Amino acid sequence: MIELDVKQKVDQIAECIFDRVQKQEGDFFGLYSGEFGQLLFLLYYTRYSQSKKHALMTDQYSEKLLQRFVDNEKAHTFCSGFSGILYLFEFLRENDFVDFDVSGVQQLLDDYLVLRMRQDIHQKHYDFMHGALGVGLYFLKRKRYPEHIQELIDFLYDTAIKENSNQIFKWEYCIDPENDIIGYNLSLSHGISSIIIFLTRVIKSGLSASEKVFEILNGAVNFLISQQRDNSPKDFYFPHYILKKKSDVVSVSRLAWCYGDLEIGIALWQAGKTTGKIEWKEKGLEILLHATQRRSIVDNNVEDAGVCHGSSGIALIFRRMFCETKLDEFKEAILFWLNQTLKFSNFNDGLAGYKAAEIGGWRCDYFLLTGISGIGLVLISFLINEQQEWDEILLLS
């Protein structure tokens, strides 16, 4: 029964997005927060639907986006700028979707990204979504520029706070700029989990396998594991972040792609797989299996269906782990969170019934990270029972 409901919802999402494309609405060109994430959904939907009409519309949309790409996009970030879009181009080429030819401006774009990466390094801004590591992820995908990958490795090594007695590496992060609250961000979206995944990709790429890479990775993993709460796994294992001042309030933990146990579990799982360290892999699996039992919408702060902090993102992570392990616990959790994703489509004025939660209200959102393009991609992966290769764009594989 759920498959029929999912199929109907995917078709509704596609109708919304195709309608937007035909009206030529929007002028946001990012991967996570713009039209290129929307395009990714349309390419998967076209492959799923096998519709010649959809294929033609998607091809036309691709051409329009490419024509407007260089002139309109000025940011460099992975979330909403050049590095994320160029990463997507490599992914689409590898998976036989479409080959965007940007060879005429490729070197100019890459030079620009190096410049912006170095500016982020100077500002000690490692954040993969908005800072230096996003450029590094694109360079790793291109399998080029080992010298710039080394710059990032040196940057992580030099800026880490090191505790030699217990082999810990950690990086400061401004948790609350308005109140100047400094701490250590554990998250995938902005914190140390993303550093761990970046380093595993460095190792897998073969561009750099220096002792320094393994030293940083070992220290970052040690720090993450050391932050497990004393009373876990009663409810959750890890807070969102650690604060330097003990007087400040320590955050709770949501169930989501962006923050919480799920992304820490994924980071440890990937680090263990890449390095062959069974204890890291087993720790990640333990955390993720425990998370399958967390089913309260309220307690886990799940308010909408988006990938970033909503139910489809939770289903996406559990589906990644089912693809890797075939464990029934993950299969059951997928079905629970997909059902919840369908239930969230309850807005008469929403997009296919969906709206994204925001402070003070709700908004219609078409895009990958928080909107219906991401929701639709999760639902399509479930329908066609594929290996979900596209989740590498979200650092899940």
Side-chain angles (χ1 to χ4, degrees):
M1 183 64 179
I2 188 174
E3 289 190 12
L4 178 60
D5 293 339
V6 169
K7 183 181 184 304
Q8 292 174 342
K9 189 55 61 180
V10 166
D11 290 339
Q12 291 171 15
I13 289 171
E15 183 179 350
C16 287
I17 295 178
F18 277 121
D19 182 63
R20 183 176 189 267
V21 168
Q22 287 182 306
K23 292 178 180 177
Q24 298 185 0
E25 296 176 343
D27 196 26
F28 302 95
F29 291 91
L31 173 57
Y32 284 179
S33 57
E35 294 195 56
F36 280 94
Q38 185 174 268
L39 174 63
L40 181 62
F41 166 78
L42 293 181
L43 289 166
Y44 267 92
Y45 182 77
T46 297
R47 183 173 284 186
Y48 155 73
S49 70
Q50 295 293 300
S51 165
K52 292 182 179 180
K53 175 186 174 182
H54 294 148
L56 178 60
M57 293 172 66
T58 301
D59 286 347
Q60 292 172 342
Y61 182 49
S62 300
E63 292 173 4
K64 289 179 180 178
L65 284 185
L66 184 59
Q67 289 170 2
R68 295 154 63 193
F69 165 60
V70 175
D71 291 336
N72 286 275
E73 185 51 61
K74 302 303 180 186
H76 72 292
T77 66
F78 198 87
C79 176
S80 54
F82 280 134
S83 56
I85 296 169
L86 291 169
Y87 185 105
L88 176 66
F89 289 176
E90 297 295 323
F91 173 84
L92 294 177
R93 188 177 299 115
E94 287 178 1
N95 289 274
D96 298 322
F97 279 104
V98 64
D99 188 353
F100 286 104
D101 183 7
V102 292
S103 57
V105 293
Q106 185 83 64
Q107 193 58 54
L108 287 174
L109 293 172
D110 290 354
D111 290 344
Y112 170 72
L113 289 175
V114 171
L115 175 66
R116 295 302 302 270
M117 181 194 79
R118 286 173 174 164
Q119 290 174 348
D120 286 330
I121 287 174
H122 179 72
Q123 296 169 2
K124 299 182 179 179
H125 186 40
Y126 65 80
D127 188 320
F128 100 87
M129 285 180 61
H130 305 296
L133 293 187
V135 177
L137 287 169
Y138 160 60
F139 287 162
L140 287 173
K141 188 67 172 174
R142 281 205 75 195
K143 301 179 177 63
R144 296 189 64 184
Y145 306 122
E147 69 276 17
H148 300 315
I149 299 301
Q150 190 61 49
E151 284 185 67
L152 287 168
I153 293 166
D154 293 340
F155 160 61
L156 291 173
Y157 188 88
D158 294 340
T159 57
I161 296 173
K162 305 173 185 68
E163 297 178 10
N164 295 327
S165 59
N166 48 7
Q167 294 184 310
I168 276 178
F169 281 55
K170 56 188 179 182
W171 293 263
E172 287 188 352
Y173 190 92
C174 187
I175 305 296
D176 183 352
E178 290 185 5
N179 297 297
D180 196 29
I181 296 177
I182 306 298
Y184 307 101
N185 192 323
L186 307 186
S187 75
L188 175 62
S189 52
H190 306 290
I192 292 174
S193 292
S194 65
I195 291 177
I196 288 171
I197 292 172
F198 173 76
L199 292 169
T200 64
R201 291 196 180 185
V202 170
I203 294 169
K204 287 188 289 187
S205 74
L207 291 179
S208 176
S210 65
E211 291 185 7
K212 186 180 285 188
V213 175
F214 289 94
E215 184 181 357
I216 302 169
L217 178 60
N218 187 69
V221 169
N222 287 345
F223 176 66
L224 267 195
I225 293 174
S226 73
Q227 299 310 309
Q228 180 173 327
R229 297 163 64 245
D230 292 338
N231 64 338
S232 60
K234 182 180 178 182
D235 41 18
F236 60 90
Y237 278 70
F238 299 94
H240 292 168
Y241 41 76
I242 307 300
L243 302 177
K244 292 189 74 173
K245 293 182 180 179
K246 300 301 181 182
S247 59
D248 291 328
V249 177
V250 177
S251 68
V252 295
S253 182
R254 71 193 312 161
L255 202 64
W257 169 84
C258 51
Y259 282 91
D261 285 358
L262 289 179
E263 32 86 6
I264 291 175
I266 283 287
L268 296 177
W269 173 264
Q270 289 192 32
K273 280 182 59 182
T274 301
T275 62
K277 291 199 173 186
I278 301 301
E279 64 272 23
W280 292 355
K281 191 175 175 182
E282 289 179 344
K283 188 63 180 179
L285 184 60
E286 174 194 328
I287 295 164
L288 291 159
L289 283 172
H290 177 261
T292 64
Q293 303 306 308
R294 295 172 60 182
R295 301 289 177 90
S296 170
I297 304 301
V298 175
D299 292 347
N300 292 308
N301 197 21
V302 184
E303 298 181 345
D304 64 19
V307 166
C308 182
H309 46 258
S311 58
S312 69
I314 300 170
L316 179 72
I317 291 174
F318 286 139
R319 192 164 187 282
R320 164 50 49 201
M321 291 308 298
F322 180 72
C323 289
E324 305 250 342
T325 68
K326 305 303 180 187
L327 292 175
D328 287 340
E329 291 92 335
F330 293 123
K331 185 176 183 179
E332 293 168 5
I334 295 166
L335 294 174
F336 176 85
W337 289 106
L338 283 179
N339 269 308
Q340 188 57 53
T341 298
L342 296 173
K343 291 178 182 178
F344 275 130
S345 61
N346 56 7
F347 291 90
N348 292 331
D349 59 343
L351 303 173
Y354 290 110
K355 285 191 174 184
E358 61 181 0
I359 296 174
W362 301 85
R363 72 176 187 278
C364 288
D365 189 323
Y366 286 90
F367 301 131
L368 175 62
L369 195 60
T370 53
I372 59 172
S373 293
I375 297 168
L377 281 164
V378 174
L379 298 181
I380 288 174
S381 289
F382 171 76
L383 283 178
I384 64 178
N385 195 30
E386 49 95 42
Q387 289 301 303
Q388 201 170 275
E389 291 92 349
W390 65 272
D391 70 7
E392 71 168 78
I393 291 169
L394 294 161
L395 305 195
L396 298 182
S397 60

